[in-house]
Amino acid sequence: MKTSSTAGKAEPSWAHIHSEDVSWRKQLLGDIDGVFVVPRYVKLFYDTFGAGSRQDFFEVGSGNGDLSRAILAANRGEIRRYVASEYFEEGVAWLRKSGLEAVRADACNLPCGDSEYDAVLDFDVMHHVDHPRDMARELMRVGRGCALLVESNGLSLPRRLLELTPGHRAAGEKSYTPKQYRSFFEGHPGFQVTGFAIYPFLFPFRCPKWLLPMLVRFNRRVEKIPVLKWQCSSVAIYVEYRRERLSGR
């Protein structure tokens, strides 16, 4: 995660946010991360792209690569190429050491060609960057008409309160509302948003092991409960867009 920081802001290292064995997400959530959260992300990926074959993907801000490896472990021909990325050099080194194809990347200035990938993935990155609109344009530039994101839910009161805690503040987290997320993708010269789906995704939190089964059952239901579902900590976003010829070109 992370992108170029605002001038004067102290910039953490990769090790300050991640570790080789434990992702930032697991540090926050504990055991439910491996039991339910990571499998839920994998299911979201294959629910979205599982009908295709030999597709190329670029993941922005892969952290310690736990989601990348879990997605690739379930690959049955849907993925031809999967490139992970990190802002920090030490993060890139770890991703490569763990067997992933990885590059160093600023989320607002991706080192990729136009339309190089079938889709670009963002798992909990945009709410860390200083200029989310710039990042949204890069996702569209690099992809071939679609992008999949999981992001912090600005309508969730528990999520907004968490962002006041020292750990979340150190990571530079800032939630946005569905309307704001859509606005980041709209109005870019050369692109037109043709579809924008956003829905609540996950309500996990750290709990004792004996409570895990109940928390997992709750998470399986909460995304479908009217009103309450919008207190989920995250939202899943699927953006479809098309390229337009700019006047004079």
Side-chain angles (χ1 to χ4, degrees):
M1 65 178 65
K2 193 72 174 91
T3 180
S4 51
S5 57
T6 302
K9 183 189 293 184
E11 184 172 304
S13 67
W14 182 82
H16 180 77
I17 301 172
H18 304 284
S19 74
E20 294 185 353
D21 299 322
V22 182
S23 68
W24 169 249
R25 188 183 54 261
K26 186 167 184 178
Q27 293 177 53
L28 295 174
L29 300 178
D31 292 328
I32 194 173
D33 182 63
V35 171
F36 182 75
V37 175
V38 170
R40 184 71 176 87
Y41 277 75
V42 173
K43 183 178 185 301
L44 173 67
F45 175 88
Y46 284 100
D47 283 349
T48 306
F49 301 111
S53 63
R54 295 181 57 76
Q55 300 165 96
D56 299 335
F57 297 96
F58 186 91
E59 182 188 342
V60 181
S62 304
N64 77 342
D66 62 331
L67 290 178
S68 312
R69 292 189 296 273
I71 287 170
L72 284 167
N75 181 26
R76 299 296 181 268
E78 298 89 350
I79 301 170
R80 180 177 67 173
R81 186 184 182 202
Y82 192 105
V83 180
S85 70
E86 251 302 319
Y87 178 75
F88 300 104
E89 288 286 4
E90 60 266 45
V92 176
W94 167 250
L95 293 171
R96 290 173 178 169
K97 181 181 176 182
S98 66
L100 296 167
E101 180 180 354
V103 298
R104 186 177 186 274
D106 182 325
C108 296
N109 186 21
L110 297 177
C112 311
D114 294 353
S115 304
E116 184 172 348
Y117 296 89
D118 289 286
V120 183
L121 313 172
D122 155 22
F123 298 133
D124 307 298
V125 177
M126 185 174 279
H127 65 270
H128 292 274
V129 306
D130 297 320
H131 304 289
R133 185 169 169 79
D134 292 346
M135 177 179 169
R137 186 189 184 285
E138 279 294 274
L139 300 187
M140 293 191 291
R141 180 185 69 80
V142 171
R144 299 176 190 148
C146 63
L148 176 66
L149 303 84
V150 174
E151 281 301 333
S152 172
N153 180 15
L155 297 180
S156 168
L157 180 59
R159 178 74 204 195
R160 297 303 292 265
L161 292 174
L162 275 176
E163 289 171 9
L164 300 176
T165 62
H168 286 262
R169 292 179 66 182
E173 297 191 2
K174 183 179 180 181
S175 298
Y176 299 101
T177 65
K179 184 177 180 180
Q180 287 174 305
Y181 280 121
R182 179 162 189 153
S183 74
F184 297 151
F185 288 89
E186 293 182 324
H188 293 282
F191 299 95
Q192 181 180 355
V193 174
T194 58
F196 188 89
I198 184 167
Y199 51 91
F201 186 79
L202 295 175
F203 199 144
F205 50 86
R206 182 180 288 273
C207 72
K209 284 188 176 182
W210 63 271
L211 275 176
L212 272 177
M214 286 183 284
L215 183 55
V216 168
R217 286 197 295 271
F218 173 71
N219 268 268
R220 285 178 174 149
R221 295 186 58 191
V222 68
E223 294 174 23
K224 300 177 182 179
I225 300 175
V227 182
L228 180 61
K229 65 183 180 180
W230 284 103
Q231 293 306 305
C232 285
S233 59
S234 301
V235 287
I237 304 169
Y238 183 68
V239 185
E240 293 181 319
Y241 59 91
R242 67 168 177 253
R243 283 177 163 76
E244 298 183 320
R245 184 182 296 274
L246 296 176
S247 59
R249 294 189 180 181

